[in-house]
Structures are given as C-alpha cells and as structure tokens.
Amino acid sequence: MMPPLMFGGLVVFLLIGFPVAFSLCAVGLFFGFLSIELGFFTSAYLGNLPLRVFGILSNDLLLAIPFFTLMGAILERCGLAEDLLEGTGQLFGKVPGGLAYAVILVGAVLGAITGTVAASVIAMGMISLPIMMRYGYDMRIATGVIAASGTITQVIPPSLVLIILGDQLGKSVGDMYAGAIGPSFLQILLFLAFIAVVSIVAPHKVPPLPPEALAPRGWPLYWRVIKGMVPSIVLIFLVLGTIFLGLATPTEAGAMGAVGAVVLAIINRRFSWTLLRQAMENTMRITAMVIFILIGATVFSLVFQGVDGSLWIEHLLSHLPGGQVGFLVFVNIFVFFLAFFLDFFEIAFIVVPLLAPVATKLDIDLVWFGVLLCINLQTSFMHPPFGFALFYLRGIAPKEVKTSDIYWGAVPWLGLQLVLVAIVIFWPASVTYFLDKGTGVDPSTVRIEVPLPDMPEDDAVPVFR
C-alpha cells in the first residue's frame, strides 16, 4: 500500500497549495523514514540521494534550459515579433482570415526561435489583438488563435519540454527534436485549415483588412517581410541546424542562440543593459524553479522505487485492455486531466519516469512516446480556467475583452490539439519518419579480420567477432 499512499499524500499537499518542489521532498522523506522503520529498506538506501542530486546538478544537458530561456527572454523584448507580424499581416491582409493566418505563421517562427510560450503569446497579443478588434474580428476567434499559436512553441524545436522529456526518457535531444518536426507541421496545417473553414463558413467573423489599411503591394512590402524573416531563419539554423548536423550539442546550440538573440537585439536597436538584466532575472527564476522541482522529484522517485512503486505502476498499466493502443489512450487521458492542475515541468518530472518502463515493456518507441506526451502537455496551456497561455493573454488584453471570451475561444483549438494527439497515435510515422534509421547492420554479426605480421593476405586470422 505504500506506493498509492505516497501518491495520495502528494495529492493532499498539492490541494493544500504547498509548493510542488517542497511537497515532493516532504512526501518522499516522510515515507522514506517510515519505510526504514517498517523495514522496507535500510537507511543506507537513502545514501543514494546525495549522489542523485549531484547527478542532476552536474548534468550538462540541463544547461540548455537557462540558455534557451535567456534566448527567448531577450527575443521577447527585441522587436522581432513586431517586424514579423506587421509585415506578414499586410501580406495576408487582403484575404478573409488573413490576420489569423499571419498570427499562426509568426507563432510558429517565434516558437522555433524563442522556445517559450510567454514570449509568443505576449508579443502577438499586444500587437495583433488590438488590430483584430479594430477591424471586426470575432473576439473568441481572435483570442483563441493568439493563445493557440503561442502554444505551438511547446512542440516545435527548440522546445524546453522536449529537452526535459529527452532527459527523463534517456533519449537524445536531437532525436526528440527530429521526431517533433512532423507533428509541428501537422499542427500548423490543422490551425490554418481551421481558419480556412471559418473564413468560408462565417467570413464575417474573420474579415479582411479594409483597402485603406493595406500597404501598397510591391518590393517595399516584400522587403519588409524578408527583413523580418531572414534573421529568424539564420537564428533557427544556428540553433536547430547545428544540432541536426551534429555540429553542436543542445547546450552549445542554446549558448549560440543566446548570443544570436543579443546580436538581433543590437541590430534592431533594442538592446540595453536593462533588457539584459530583466532577461537574466527571468532566466534565473525559471531555472531555479526547474532544478528545485527536479530535486524534489528525485527524492520522491527514489523512495517510490524503494517501496517497489515502479512494479506497482507497471502492473497497473501493462495489463490494460488494448495493449499498446489501450495504454497510450489511458496515459493521454490521464495526462490531459492531470494538466488541469500541474505544470508541464511537474508532470515531466513526476509522471514520465514512472511511465517510461511500462512503455519500454510494451515495445513502444520512447522518442515517439515522448513527442506524443509533449503534444498532450501543450494542452495544459489552453485548459480553461488554469491555462497559462490564457493567463498571459488576459494580462495584456484590453479591459473590454471578456475573460469568458478568452476561455470559450480556447475550446476549438484545444480540440485541434487533441486531434493531433490522435493522429500521432494512429500514424507513428509522423514522428519516426524524420529519425535516424541507422545502418540496419546488427553489430553482433560484424567480423573484423586483421592479418598477422609477415603473413600473406590470404592467411588473415579473425581477431574479433
């Protein structure tokens, strides 16, 4: 009964409102000392805890988190989003839904260079929401598309969620990024298709810009769009291209991205020491939160494994009806509802390490499983009433925008994200197609034959098998 009691204790702490990191530590240590008294394991078992904490603090991969966070915090303030949105909005402004198309495409680009939901939602909300309101967009469509486009950041590389899931699943971040390419494009296409349907069925909800608001067509407009896109593409290659080509680790790519963000801020004449200080303070807070949660999760998981909690979870989930599909459906429903109450960091550190062994036993590709969970976790940003994307949007939206419109506007996009979860479950190639397939050679069949000195080539003797 110890594993379910530990989960119950953790739920009680969370419902009280105690910080997650300290809740995990408190529950883990309490049940750890209780287990020693009851004889489930000795005090020497808890001696592993300092080694595990040191392993977290010395993990080079986790250095990518502050680098990518710093990059996003700088880009949030450097004016790049304004340039992208204004040019792209004018480019698509003549067609119904043009501003919404621009928000989705710019959200994808910002996601690929910032990696943070807050930066995308705040930047696009401050720039595009007043314009949409001025030209008669339906309030729910306008708020929904801004919030949803910001959450693309969670799936499109260099997502922080993919870094953490790769670490927890024991898979390389490069593989996680490669696996997320297909679902990222599918999500963008789903969002664009939804706006296309709305523009056909109810064009009055997504009207085009009036002629007096349109800039003249021609090279000045195209150059404006190119000027915003080219620095973004260069930064995307600097971060993602170097990882995919094997030229840099995620940590090194994150460091280059942070430097690139500073250069972009200087080019846009937005750089200041105040901007850098604010970005570093934001990075420090997020990094400290992640590390504390990870240490708390380590305390909890060590004790949980000591009382055979992993076997309890494995027995509970590996006998679900439906095999792999049954397991995936159950896990995704479970994570979906868990995301109403917990942040994606907390779910990744608490739940994912318990699910990974069961997925391995069921012969599920862990990269595919990780990307699937990442898509599901992004719904946590759109859940009314606790979705962070909705909070960010509420914080910068004008007073005349009703909170109910923000919440109801999120519902269709939440449904589209769940559609993507179903597509990835039933079409695994959407993830695995972009992964490195290897050579297809079984290493156990390789023979290396080395000729002995002063012997003819024909007398080669096999040395290694």
Side-chain angles (χ1 to χ4, degrees):
M1 293 300 294
M2 290 295 277
L5 284 175
M6 287 187 70
F7 261 118
L10 181 61
V11 169
V12 170
F13 269 93
L14 295 178
L15 290 176
I16 292 171
F18 205 63
V20 173
F22 303 120
S23 299
L24 288 163
C25 282
V27 172
L29 290 175
F30 173 78
F31 280 95
F33 293 135
L34 183 62
S35 298
I36 291 172
E37 290 297 320
L38 295 176
F40 291 126
F41 51 73
T42 66
S43 58
Y45 179 75
L46 287 184
N48 294 307
L49 190 56
L51 298 174
R52 292 181 68 149
V53 172
F54 179 77
I56 292 169
L57 298 178
S58 60
N59 187 346
D60 289 340
L61 176 61
L62 295 179
L63 273 176
I65 294 174
F67 285 137
F68 283 123
T69 305
L70 180 62
M71 181 179 76
I74 293 172
L75 290 170
E76 180 184 338
R77 299 169 174 85
C78 78
L80 184 65
E82 288 92 329
D83 294 341
L84 283 170
L85 272 171
E86 289 172 7
T88 313
Q90 286 289 340
L91 199 62
F92 290 97
K94 291 180 67 175
V95 299
L99 289 176
Y101 292 134
V103 166
I104 293 169
L105 294 174
V106 172
V109 174
L110 288 178
I113 60 176
T114 64
T116 55
V117 171
S120 297
V121 173
I122 292 171
M124 292 190 296
M126 293 183 70
I127 301 161
S128 59
L129 185 57
I131 299 173
M132 288 178 162
M133 292 170 62
R134 187 185 314 148
Y135 295 116
Y137 263 66
D138 181 85
M139 194 63 68
R140 295 182 180 181
I141 295 290
T143 56
V145 72
I146 291 170
S149 300
T151 62
I152 294 176
T153 302
Q154 291 303 291
V155 177
I156 197 167
S159 163
L160 291 180
V161 184
L162 291 170
I163 295 174
I164 293 168
L165 287 173
D167 178 66
Q168 295 298 302
L169 293 170
K171 293 295 180 180
S172 76
V173 175
D175 283 347
M176 297 297 292
Y177 282 176
I181 292 174
S184 299
F185 281 110
L186 285 173
Q187 179 157 75
I188 295 167
L189 291 174
L190 281 173
F191 285 0
L192 293 173
F194 176 74
I195 292 297
V197 170
V198 171
S199 66
I200 295 170
V201 175
H204 62 280
K205 292 187 176 183
V206 286
L209 290 178
E212 62 270 16
L214 290 170
R217 288 288 188 261
W219 274 110
L221 175 59
Y222 302 147
W223 172 247
R224 190 176 173 185
V225 175
I226 292 170
K227 191 172 68 172
M229 283 291 183
V230 169
S232 306
I233 293 169
V234 170
L235 191 57
I236 290 170
F237 173 77
L238 193 66
V239 174
L240 299 180
T242 52
I243 294 175
F244 291 146
L245 294 175
L247 301 176
T249 65
T251 303
E252 294 164 346
M256 290 190 294
V259 173
V262 171
V263 172
L264 274 181
I266 293 172
I267 292 173
N268 287 346
R269 298 180 182 178
R270 300 288 185 94
F271 181 80
S272 67
W273 293 113
T274 303
L275 178 149
L276 185 60
R277 180 183 177 83
Q278 291 173 348
M280 292 175 73
E281 286 176 351
N282 186 45
T283 301
M284 180 182 66
R285 281 196 298 271
I286 292 177
T287 305
M289 177 193 74
V290 171
I291 294 299
F292 269 108
I293 293 175
L294 189 49
I295 290 173
T298 296
V299 175
F300 183 88
S301 65
L302 179 66
V303 177
F304 193 74
Q305 290 175 10
V307 294
D308 289 335
S310 56
L311 295 177
W312 176 67
I313 292 288
E314 184 177 318
H315 179 76
L316 203 64
L317 298 181
S318 60
H319 293 83
L320 291 170
Q324 285 188 357
V325 174
F327 168 75
L328 291 170
V329 170
F330 172 82
V331 165
N332 278 282
I333 293 173
F334 176 64
V335 170
F336 176 76
F337 283 105
L338 206 60
F340 275 94
F341 311 103
L342 297 180
D343 185 67
F344 72 88
F345 284 120
E346 297 151 8
I347 294 173
F349 291 143
I350 300 170
V351 179
V352 172
L354 303 177
L355 299 176
V358 184
T360 303
K361 186 176 180 181
L362 291 173
D363 199 26
I364 294 173
D365 185 291
L366 289 184
V367 174
W368 173 52
F369 185 60
V371 172
L372 182 63
L373 288 179
C374 180
I375 298 167
N376 197 329
L377 284 172
Q378 76 170 334
T379 63
S380 67
F381 284 86
M382 294 291 289
H383 280 319
F386 303 115
F388 282 103
L390 308 183
F391 287 160
Y392 299 142
L393 189 56
R394 176 68 277 176
I396 54 93
K399 292 181 179 178
E400 56 266 32
V401 178
K402 297 178 182 177
T403 303
S404 60
D405 284 336
I406 295 177
Y407 286 164
W408 282 111
V411 172
W413 305 93
L414 192 60
L416 291 174
Q417 290 172 339
L418 295 178
V419 168
L420 182 61
V421 170
I423 290 173
V424 172
I425 288 178
F426 293 104
W427 186 29
S430 61
V431 173
T432 57
Y433 178 81
F434 295 94
L435 298 178
D436 183 9
K437 303 298 189 299
T439 61
V441 177
D442 183 359
S444 63
T445 64
V446 175
R447 296 176 60 190
I448 302 176
E449 297 185 351
V450 181
L452 294 177
D454 302 322
M455 292 183 64
E457 194 69 32
D458 295 337
D459 296 330
V461 178
V463 179
F464 301 106
R465 288 183 183 273

